[in-house]
Amino acid sequence: QVQLVESGGGLVQPGGSLRLSCAASGRIYSINTMGWYRQAPGKQRELVATISSGGRTNYADSVKGRFTISRDNAKNTVYLQMNNLNPEDTAVYYCNIDLRIGLHSSTYSYWGQGTQVTVSS
């Protein structure tokens, strides 16, 4: 019913930048919080950043000042601009979107398929 498609990952040198995108499609009535999480090898998935429907943002301390989350409500898309990347940012990045599929429906949480970000020289 709902699909999330991520794009924008890849290999980048330390200090470089990448921009991730996550587009939601399908049966969508409204979207609440949108966010990005990441999981490095051998570690638990952790929150990177979230953005509310009203535009309020929240960041992990490790990415504050380097990453920027934004959303385009007309396109049902969330972005993550990542600057000054370092090797510790290497992980699979997942988008997460909380949405409703109808006026009286509950809120459901959907995950993207994940995109690999590798920071290495």
Side-chain angles (χ1 to χ4, degrees):
Q1 290 184 328
V2 176
Q3 297 80 39
L4 272 58
V5 177
E6 299 184 28
S7 61
L11 173 65
V12 63
Q13 292 185 342
S17 298
L18 284 174
R19 188 191 194 208
L20 306 182
S21 301
C22 175
S25 62
R27 186 180 175 185
I28 300 171
Y29 176 78
S30 65
I31 295 178
N32 301 333
T33 302
M34 310 176 87
W36 290 95
Y37 293 73
R38 66 185 181 187
Q39 188 166 18
K43 295 186 177 181
Q44 291 187 334
R45 189 172 299 187
E46 63 176 3
L47 181 146
V48 176
T50 60
I51 183 167
S52 71
S53 57
R56 181 176 298 178
T57 59
N58 177 54
Y59 295 94
D61 288 342
S62 60
V63 306
K64 283 181 180 177
R66 300 188 298 122
F67 291 10
T68 302
I69 189 171
S70 61
R71 60 192 284 169
D72 185 333
N73 293 326
K75 297 181 179 180
N76 292 337
T77 299
V78 59
Y79 305 97
L80 185 68
Q81 177 66 44
M82 305 184 292
N83 297 329
N84 194 20
L85 285 159
N86 58 61
E88 290 70 36
D89 296 315
T90 295
V92 178
Y93 284 69
Y94 298 90
C95 65
N96 175 257
I97 297 179
D98 292 336
L99 58 86
R100 295 164 61 197
I101 60 174
L103 176 62
H104 302 293
S105 80
S106 301
T107 298
Y108 297 96
S109 185
Y110 289 87
W111 291 90
Q113 80 279 9
T115 185
Q116 177 70 46
V117 172
T118 302
V119 185
S120 175
S121 55

